[in-house]
């Protein structure tokens, strides 16, 4: 089955700086890679996703890149703001529609 | 409004007392799943269901049961809860499309404490 690893587990940046979170996956058949943001005490919410036929996707300050050959994908947040502070999860879904999550990254943006 | 609804939100119970956490979605999604969330371990899948009457084990199925008699409902059953099942539980659903078009929608979560 799929195995997803996520790094780093914690990340602290100054407001305005960029933050990068990286994930690797094991199943080369995986073809969909969403990212979720979970604020304290709330449910995970989808913030951006990418499919295997796309190398990069951007939505305002958030971007995701995918390297299928190396089996890794990354979340990039530019011009970080305190409200970006949360736990971020990457995930990979294979052809059987089964989703596997990374262990999460706690991002802290210092004002 | 599209949503996944879990009940109860909070539950404290005693070891061995059977309990059920309900999950219902109104989006006509084929795929539903249960996760538990523990500090430092992220979201670990317990069981998932591709469609009515089709369920499969996830990564951590021991001590849990599920059923999928109707498309909208996917209850999680703990026949004999133990303290190591104290956790935050999330139900999720997504459309089963190949290639998948959308990520999972999550319920609000159920915080379970087993004493």
């Amino acid at each position: 089955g799929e195995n997803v690893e996520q790094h780093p587990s914690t990340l602290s940046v100054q407001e305005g700086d960029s933050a990068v979170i990286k994930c690797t996956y094991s199943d080369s058949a995986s073809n969909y890679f969403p990212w979720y943001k979970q604020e304290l005490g709330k449910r995970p919410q989808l913030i951006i996703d990418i499919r295997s036929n796309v190398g990069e996707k951007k939505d305002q300050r958030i971007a995701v890149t995918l390297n299928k050959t190396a089996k890794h994908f990354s979340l990039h947040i530019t011009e970080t703001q305190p409200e970006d502070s949360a736990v971020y999860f990457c995930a990979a879904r294979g052809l059987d529609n089964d989703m596997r999550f990374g262990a999460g990254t706690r991002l802290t943006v210092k004002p | 409004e599209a949503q996944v609804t879990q009940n109860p939100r909070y539950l404290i119970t005693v070891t061995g007392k059977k309990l059920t956490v309900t999950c219902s979605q109104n989006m006509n999604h084929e795929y539903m799943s249960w996760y538990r969330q523990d500090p430092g371990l992220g979201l670990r899948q317990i069981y998932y269901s591709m469609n009515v009457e089709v369920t499969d084990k996830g990564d951590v199925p021991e001590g849990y049961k599920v059923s999928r008699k109707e498309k909208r409902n996917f209850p999680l059953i703990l026949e004999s809860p133990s303290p190591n099942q104290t956790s935050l539980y999330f139900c999720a659903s997504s459309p089963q499309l190949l290639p998948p078009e959308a990520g999972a929608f999550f319920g609000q979560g159920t915080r379970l404490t087993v004493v």
Side-chain angles (χ1 to χ4, degrees):
Chain A
E2 177 65 275
N3 182 46
V4 178
E5 295 192 357
Q6 183 172 346
H7 300 279
S9 57
T10 61
L11 178 60
S12 183
V13 299
Q14 209 63 38
E15 183 177 0
D17 287 351
S18 294
V20 180
I21 302 170
K22 298 181 180 181
C23 289
T24 60
Y25 61 100
S26 60
D27 186 354
S28 56
S30 290
N31 55 10
Y32 178 71
F33 308 91
W35 285 88
Y36 292 86
K37 176 183 181 182
Q38 186 178 26
E39 296 175 347
L40 189 64
K42 296 189 178 180
R43 74 188 87 183
Q45 294 209 305
L46 181 70
I47 55 171
I48 194 167
D49 55 13
I50 192 167
R51 285 187 274 163
S52 60
N53 59 348
V54 176
E56 183 175 357
K57 184 176 178 181
K58 192 172 182 181
D59 182 4
Q60 298 183 335
R61 297 186 297 108
I62 295 174
V64 58
T65 59
L66 171 65
N67 183 327
K68 280 217 78 178
T69 304
K71 289 190 281 188
H72 67 70
F73 56 113
S74 302
L75 178 71
H76 305 252
I77 306 174
T78 58
E79 300 171 28
T80 53
Q81 302 166 1
E83 51 265 39
D84 294 330
S85 296
V87 177
Y88 291 81
F89 292 98
C90 64
R93 188 158 74 181
L95 290 176
D96 62 0
N97 215 32
D98 197 21
M99 191 99 80
R100 289 289 188 267
F101 287 82
T105 297
R106 182 174 298 280
L107 173 65
T108 303
V109 180
K110 300 177 190 174
Chain B
E1 180 190 353
Q3 58 187 1
V4 179
T5 304
Q6 285 177 238
N7 279 297
R9 294 288 310 278
Y10 302 92
L11 179 60
I12 300 175
T13 190
V14 296
T15 299
K17 185 177 180 183
K18 181 179 178 180
L19 66 92
T20 300
V21 184
T22 63
C23 175
S24 181
Q25 51 95 2
N26 63 359
M27 296 167 280
N28 202 37
H29 285 168
E30 285 83 4
Y31 181 86
M32 296 185 74
S33 58
W34 277 101
Y35 299 88
R36 60 177 288 174
Q37 186 175 26
D38 303 290
L41 296 176
L43 290 150
R44 293 183 294 167
Q45 192 175 57
I46 302 170
Y47 269 94
Y48 64 97
S49 169
M50 298 289 198
N51 214 325
V52 176
E53 301 293 0
V54 180
T55 63
D56 281 295
K57 295 178 180 179
D59 296 321
V60 288
E62 294 79 19
Y64 304 95
K65 284 174 58 177
V66 292
S67 69
R68 189 88 183 276
K69 293 185 171 56
E70 307 164 279
K71 199 172 189 179
R72 63 183 290 124
N73 296 322
F74 191 44
L76 179 69
I77 303 156
L78 285 72
E79 294 272 4
S80 183
S82 63
N84 64 10
Q85 293 179 297
T86 293
S87 187
L88 177 60
Y89 291 86
F90 286 100
C91 177
S93 74
S94 68
Q96 187 175 338
L97 300 170
L98 293 173
E101 295 293 336
F105 291 81
F106 283 85
Q108 317 96 302
T110 295
R111 187 165 291 282
L112 172 66
T113 302
V114 183
V115 298

